[in-house]
Amino acid sequence: NFLSKKDYEQNDLINQIYNDCNDINKSTIQNTIQTLFKNSISIKGCPTNLEIYFLSLIQPESQLIKFISNKQLLIQLGLEKWYAQATFSVQEYCKFRFMLDPDVQNLSEPQIKQLSEQYQLILNSIKNQNQAQLQQAFTNFLNTNQNLKESNIYRLRMFVVLICYYEYFNKCQPCPVILNSIDSWISQQLRLEPKEKTIYKFIAQGPQKVADDIDTLLYSFSLESRQDKQFDCSTANIIINCLAIAIGLPKDSTHFYTNIFNPAALNNTRGPGSHYERRNWDCGFKFDGGTLTNYSEPPVMGNHIYSRLAINTLVWVPLSLCTIVDPEGGSLAC
């Protein structure tokens, strides 16, 4: 098992890949990747999961960017779909792929290309900050194909969240054209419920000042945190990405929506990842000395540390957002 190897053994394999990057004709490149795949954990489902897992092992992020910007190397390894020109900053890699500049990435996959084109259309319409033009753009987008109108509504809900956050909120700016229309035509076109409108307003108003950093959740979305160049916004970015998925899909299709907008429904229910009798009450384990406590039978997710931390994040990150959507109800539920 690759993860059972000592850190220096893992690093030796990764470093060998780095060293071979400058000479793509060396057969050892292919052998190294095959060895890494062979020794890594078996991830069930789409092969893309294993590719993502492999790419996540390449650290630091500056080396990852160097790796995926080497087109010839990626083609040789059968990973060409991950190619992107090295013009992105590390910070941009928290974004969904369709959000990245279409001029500097591989858009050979039809679905990604379509998403990218649609996203850029809505992004440019919002940037114009003209309410009448934006309303017309939304209407045109939703009426392009009546058979896909329902799907396009969800897609548009997701786009608005991501644009408001990454193009305005993260830049310490409000998005007036969205904020001023949430209670009127935007709410109608996107079929927003009251709690959903609350979170749209929270993002569209831009980051606000927070008295102190005692409330780490609110502080991670504060004006102070965005003005601090050393502050790590990764947690806030993950939370918003979870929100985008929840708001961009039918509410009963993922656990994200319930965790964010209706956490009380989780009372006395069971869920994945918890040592607390598998209940949606507490994760029930501690992270100690680089390992997770493990006293459940059968072990949670085979006691694989990456998988357990990932599922824990995807359960509790969206649940934390409920305290922003509904401070009183969310706090009681949590």
Side-chain angles (χ1 to χ4, degrees), residues 12-13 16 23 32 50 57 72 80 125 138 149 155 171 196 199 214 217 223 235 318 326 334:
D12 283 346
L13 288 172
Q16 186 176 346
D23 184 0
T32 299
L50 184 54
L57 297 175
Q72 289 179 293
E80 59 269 23
S125 299
F138 276 30
K149 185 170 183 177
R155 192 165 289 189
K171 298 176 182 178
E196 295 172 346
I199 199 64
I214 294 177
L217 177 64
L223 181 62
T235 299
D326 179 10
C334 290

Side-chain angles (χ1 to χ4, degrees), residues 34-104:
Q34 289 176 345
T35 300
L36 185 59
F37 277 9
K38 181 179 179 180
N39 290 333
S40 65
I41 62 171
S42 174
I43 301 180
K44 297 180 180 179
C46 177
T48 298
N49 293 340
L50 184 54
E51 295 174 7
I52 293 174
Y53 170 71
F54 162 67
L55 292 173
S56 73
L57 297 175
I58 301 178
Q59 299 291 336
E61 290 169 313
S62 59
Q63 288 288 351
L64 173 60
I65 293 176
K66 176 183 176 182
F67 187 83
I68 64 174
S69 64
N70 190 325
K71 188 173 185 178
Q72 289 179 293
L73 174 64
L74 293 177
I75 290 174
Q76 185 175 351
L77 300 176
L79 298 172
E80 59 269 23
K81 73 178 182 180
W82 300 105
Y83 170 69
Q85 294 181 28
T87 56
F88 301 123
S89 65
V90 170
Q91 287 76 16
E92 287 187 286
Y93 278 90
C94 56
K95 297 180 179 179
F96 292 98
R97 188 175 168 194
F98 62 81
M99 299 169 63
L100 300 176
D101 188 341
D103 294 331
V104 291

Side-chain angles (χ1 to χ4, degrees), residues 231-301:
F231 187 82
D232 185 358
C233 294
S234 298
T235 299
N237 295 339
I238 292 173
I239 290 175
I240 294 300
N241 288 350
C242 288
L243 171 66
I245 293 172
I247 213 82
L249 291 170
K251 62 178 66 176
D252 59 352
S253 63
T254 74
H255 73 275
F256 288 167
Y257 191 93
T258 300
N259 287 20
I260 296 171
F261 295 103
N262 189 25
L266 300 175
N267 192 35
N268 294 322
T269 64
R270 295 181 183 275
S274 171
H275 272 311
Y276 194 81
E277 301 174 355
R278 296 295 204 274
R279 293 169 58 190
N280 285 312
W281 183 268
D282 190 278
C283 67
F285 63 79
K286 295 180 180 179
F287 189 73
D288 184 23
T291 61
L292 300 179
T293 55
N294 178 49
Y295 37 80
S296 290
E297 288 297 337
V300 173
M301 304 198 76

